[in-house]
């Protein structure tokens, strides 16, 4: 049966005290909305509809960037969760399968939990996701009779007996699409908040003879984020999970609490990650690679046996082949380094192709930007680039070529050639000492005048 996702992302998030819509605040390098979409996307839904409201254009842009096929609809006035889901009716017109309602500010629900909801639908018309709360607080309560869900009661409308229940509502619900919208049509707003609650469809469904049940997940999966403090707690929860997963996958973390992962970081078995390493989005590190301390990586690929850092930065488009060495205070951007290439110290390599086993000396810069356009540098296999070299792109250095230290290279260097691009050195006998004596005298006079 085909599946549709309805992701509610219309709220302002007043407690965030931010101009940015709540669902666009990031956890592990991705908006909360993307985390919710990724969980649902693992089920391979036929349709995805995001309901927007506050900051609609920005939220719709983030959804489209994640998946251009997503349909966005707007809830112009926020009148409750049932009203929000109702806005998706036109986007799901003709859909004959099930729909799952998710929330853009609930980023940790797992695909496995959602699959259990789908499985539970074979025995019930509606399935609600619940959790056993350590502190039920103001959560809505799930009132059960055996396996049957009788009703959901919001805290503000609950009796003392109902408030003693600790099986709580996450808000996530699944039903056949037509059934879902038919039930929503019957929802009223006769409650303390004057809103149209999605939770009311359970009582309406039972009154119509439909069946409902609830499945339970870990409370951490249902964590909603409504404030900066909760956002920080969510980040900490994600990082703790990511570190545990890394250990389980056979990754060594020298100081796990100081390593930060992105939502999509992939690290292979027997890789070693030293302390204070930060992964931005889009990083893959293969088995046996080593990322040394205080390095920052994003949008890059590090192959087996490569060593990066310490204090290195890999930017988007950096592709490191096997056994590459990128050392301290080296920045690589949009560059391909072939097997065994070395850039060990204090260098910038951007928009470049480095051949196998070439060696780039300290302080080398690929001058890739002319103020308007980017240009590429190519360094052939086995080439040696002396320290302090400026490679003014576009320029090609042939295989086995050598560049003398301190050169500025503006023309192609043939294979096996030696290139020197230095200005002619002139020595003025005794002038250095005279100038230093003069400078010291001037400094002394200024000091005396200041006194």
């Amino acid at each position: 049966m085909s599946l549709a996702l309805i992701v509610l992302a219309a709220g302002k998030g007043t407690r965030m005290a931010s101009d940015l819509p709540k669902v666009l605040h990031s956890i592990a390098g991705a908006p909360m909305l993307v985390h919710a979409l990724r969980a649902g996307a693992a089920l391979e839904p036929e349709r995805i509809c995001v309901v927007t409201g506050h900051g609609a254009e920005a939220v719709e842009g983030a959804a489209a960037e994640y998946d251009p096929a997503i349909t966005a609809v707007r809830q112009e006035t926020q009148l409750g969760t049932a009203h929000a889901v109702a806005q998706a009716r036109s986007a799901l017109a003709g859909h004959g399968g099930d729909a799952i309602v998710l929330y853009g500010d609930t980023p940790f629900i797992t695909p496995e939990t959602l699959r259990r909801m789908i499985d539970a639908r074979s025995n019930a018309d509606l399935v609600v996701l619940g959790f056993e709360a350590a502190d039920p607080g103001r959560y809505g309560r799930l009132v059960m009779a055996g396996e049957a869900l009788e009703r959901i009661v919001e805290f503000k409308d609950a009796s003392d007996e109902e408030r003693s229940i600790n099986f709580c509502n996450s808000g996530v619900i699944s039903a056949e699409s037509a059934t879902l919208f038919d039930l929503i049509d019957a929802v009223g707003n006769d409650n303390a908040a004057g809103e149209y609650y999605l939770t009311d469809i359970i009582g309406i469904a039972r009154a119509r003879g439909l069946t409902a049940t609830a499945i339970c997940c870990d409370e951490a999966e249902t964590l909603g984020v409504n404030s900066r403090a909760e956002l920080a707690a969510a980040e900490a929860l994600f990082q703790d999970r990511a570190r545990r997963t890394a250990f389980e996958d056979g990754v060594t973390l020298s100081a796990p609490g100081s390593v930060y992962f992105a939502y999509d970081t992939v690290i292979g078995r027997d890789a070693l990650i030293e302390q204070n390493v930060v992964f931005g989005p889009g990083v893959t590190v293969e088995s046996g690679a080593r990322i040394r301390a205080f390095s920052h990586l994003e949008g890059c690929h590090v192959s087996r046996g490569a060593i990066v850092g310490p204090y290195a930065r890999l930017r988007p488009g950096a592709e490191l082949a096997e056994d590459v060495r990128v050392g301290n205070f080296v920045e690589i951007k949009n560059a391909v380094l072939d097997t065994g290439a070395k850039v060990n110290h204090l260098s910038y390599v951007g928009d470049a192709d480095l051949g196998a086993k070439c060696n780039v000396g300290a302080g080398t810069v690929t001058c890739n930007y002319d103020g308007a356009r980017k240009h590429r540098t190519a360094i052939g296999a086995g080439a040696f680039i002396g320290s302090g070299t400026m490679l003014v792109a576009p320029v090609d250095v042939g295989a086995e070529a050598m560049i003398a230290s301190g050169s500025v290279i503006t023309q192609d260097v043939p294979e096996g050639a030696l290139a020197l691009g230095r200005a002619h050195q002139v020595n003025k006998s005794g002038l250095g000492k005279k100038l230093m004596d003069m400078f010291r005298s001037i400094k002394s006079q200024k000091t005396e005048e200041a006194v």
Side-chain angles (χ1 to χ4, degrees), residues 245-402:
T245 298
F247 287 137
E248 292 166 2
D249 290 342
V251 178
T252 297
L253 306 178
S254 299
S258 69
V259 175
Y260 286 81
F261 295 96
Y263 70 101
D264 59 352
T265 305
V266 177
I267 303 179
R269 184 175 182 174
D270 290 324
L272 169 61
I273 313 299
E274 296 183 2
Q275 64 269 29
N276 295 295
V277 172
V278 176
F279 294 97
V283 176
T284 298
V285 177
E286 291 188 10
S287 299
R290 180 179 182 182
I291 311 300
R292 301 197 61 194
F294 294 96
S295 294
H296 188 284
L297 294 78
E298 58 180 322
C300 62
H301 174 250
V302 180
S303 295
R304 181 185 298 268
I307 299 176
V308 176
Y311 294 97
R313 183 184 182 194
L314 301 187
R315 293 172 56 193
E319 291 280 343
L320 277 56
E322 294 185 1
D323 300 319
V324 162
R325 300 291 185 266
V326 172
N328 50 289
F329 303 103
V330 172
E331 179 177 343
I332 309 290
K333 189 271 296 185
N334 192 29
V336 178
L337 281 64
D338 207 344
T339 305
K342 295 181 180 180
V343 188
N344 274 327
H345 326 278
L346 303 160
S347 295
Y348 170 72
V349 176
D351 299 290
D353 299 282
L354 276 59
K357 296 185 178 180
C358 71
N359 191 319
V360 176
T364 294
V365 175
T366 58
C367 306
N368 56 334
Y369 185 51
D370 64 8
R373 298 165 299 170
K374 296 289 181 69
H375 303 279
R376 291 194 76 80
T377 297
I379 300 174
F384 181 89
I385 311 299
S387 298
T389 294
M390 301 290 110
L391 296 164
V392 183
V395 67
D396 290 351
V397 177
E400 303 294 335
M402 177 178 287

Side-chain angles (χ1 to χ4, degrees), residues 97-255:
D98 279 8
I100 297 181
V101 178
L102 299 173
Y103 296 82
D105 63 351
T106 306
F108 294 134
I109 292 175
T110 66
E112 291 73 24
T113 292
L114 297 179
R115 290 190 182 97
R116 289 198 292 119
M117 291 187 70
I118 293 173
D119 292 341
R121 267 280 292 122
S122 62
N123 298 313
D125 295 305
L126 290 88
V127 178
V128 171
L129 180 62
F131 61 97
E132 297 285 347
D135 179 10
R138 302 186 67 82
Y139 289 117
R141 305 307 204 263
L142 300 181
V143 181
M144 304 292 293
E147 296 297 317
L149 174 61
E150 292 190 338
R151 64 188 182 279
I152 305 175
V153 183
E154 295 296 329
F155 176 84
K156 64 187 72 174
D157 301 312
S159 66
D160 288 342
E161 182 180 359
E162 290 166 336
R163 289 181 179 182
S164 68
I165 297 170
N166 67 350
F167 191 31
C168 296
N169 177 38
S170 73
V172 177
I173 194 165
S174 176
E176 195 267 336
S177 292
T179 300
L180 178 65
F181 291 116
D182 186 47
L183 293 170
I184 284 174
D185 286 340
V187 173
N189 66 344
D190 184 17
N191 52 61
E195 294 186 348
Y196 297 89
Y197 292 144
L198 181 61
T199 51
D200 287 351
I201 68 173
I202 301 301
I204 296 169
R206 293 300 301 270
R208 293 181 178 181
L210 300 177
T211 57
T213 191
I215 69 165
C216 187
C217 71
D218 187 88
E219 183 176 1
E221 288 191 45
T222 69
L223 178 68
V225 179
N226 298 292
S227 67
R228 303 280 183 164
E230 290 176 357
L231 184 68
E235 179 73 38
L237 175 61
F238 178 93
Q239 296 301 334
D240 184 59
R241 285 183 175 181
R243 292 162 189 153
R244 290 203 308 269
T245 298
F247 287 137
E248 292 166 2
D249 290 342
V251 178
T252 297
L253 306 178
S254 299

Side-chain angles (χ1 to χ4, degrees), residues 7-25 32-33 50-60 73-81 83-85 87 102-106 195 225-227:
V7 183
L8 305 188
K12 182 177 182 179
T14 303
R15 289 168 57 196
M16 280 289 187
S18 174
D19 294 330
L20 187 69
K22 177 172 66 171
V23 298
L24 296 188
H25 284 265
M32 286 190 284
L33 174 63
V50 175
V51 181
T52 67
H54 176 70
E57 290 186 4
V59 175
E60 290 162 7
V73 297
R74 294 191 181 184
Q75 183 188 27
E76 300 293 349
T77 304
Q78 281 72 64
L79 299 176
T81 50
H83 179 261
V85 174
Q87 309 311 303
L102 299 173
Y103 296 82
D105 63 351
T106 306
E195 294 186 348
V225 179
N226 298 292
S227 67

